[in-house]
Amino acid sequence: MALLLDLANIVGGFLLAVAVLRLLPRVGDDLGRLAGRAAPIAWVVGLVALVTGGYYLIVHLVSGPRVFHFEVVGVGVGLALLWGRLTGRSKPRDDRSDGATGVRLLLAIFGLIAIVVGVQGLFTPDG
């Protein structure tokens, strides 16, 4: 279950950070195409991140030693990816514009943080 949370943080962070990652020289176009192919299943990644992050958040609030940043970031990634489905409003991201500004930049920075937290979670023992 912890592996699902870490992978959801990494993949969800990538989907959120694609606005900034497209600006990278040489690999930006390829990352943009990869994100475009993965965009239809972003809601599945968001659901996995929200469920696993919420589960660990409840477990650590009730009986765990303390709340960890892995689950807080997982819940945030889940909410960010499911925003359009939860509220019925359009996403603040627009793939047609160049670069990231405003809310898109904030989501991209949060996505980069989620990638780092997901990778850290892969190497953190679960005990």
Side-chain angles (χ1 to χ4, degrees):
M1 185 93 161
L3 180 63
L4 281 176
L5 177 61
D6 298 331
L7 292 177
N9 279 340
I10 293 170
V11 175
F14 169 73
L15 290 171
L16 291 173
V18 74
V20 171
L21 294 176
R22 284 185 183 178
L23 300 176
L24 292 173
R26 295 186 185 225
V27 295
D29 295 333
D30 295 332
L31 290 176
R33 281 194 296 274
L34 179 64
R37 290 183 184 155
I41 62 162
W43 69 273
V44 175
V45 175
L47 188 64
V48 169
L50 191 62
V51 168
T52 56
Y55 169 77
Y56 278 114
L57 186 66
I58 291 170
V59 165
H60 289 146
L61 279 174
V62 173
S63 64
R66 61 187 168 94
V67 174
F68 295 101
H69 59 285
F70 306 108
E71 54 252 20
V72 174
V73 170
V75 169
V77 166
L79 288 175
L81 289 175
L82 291 173
W83 184 256
R85 291 185 182 256
L86 292 174
T87 63
R89 298 179 187 164
S90 64
K91 298 177 185 175
R93 295 178 280 148
D94 186 17
D95 294 333
R96 291 171 285 162
S97 67
D98 295 333
T101 58
V103 176
R104 290 182 63 220
L105 180 61
L106 184 64
L107 284 175
I109 291 171
F110 181 69
L112 292 173
I113 292 169
I115 292 170
V116 170
V117 168
V119 170
Q120 180 190 10
L122 289 176
F123 295 105
T124 302
D126 292 333

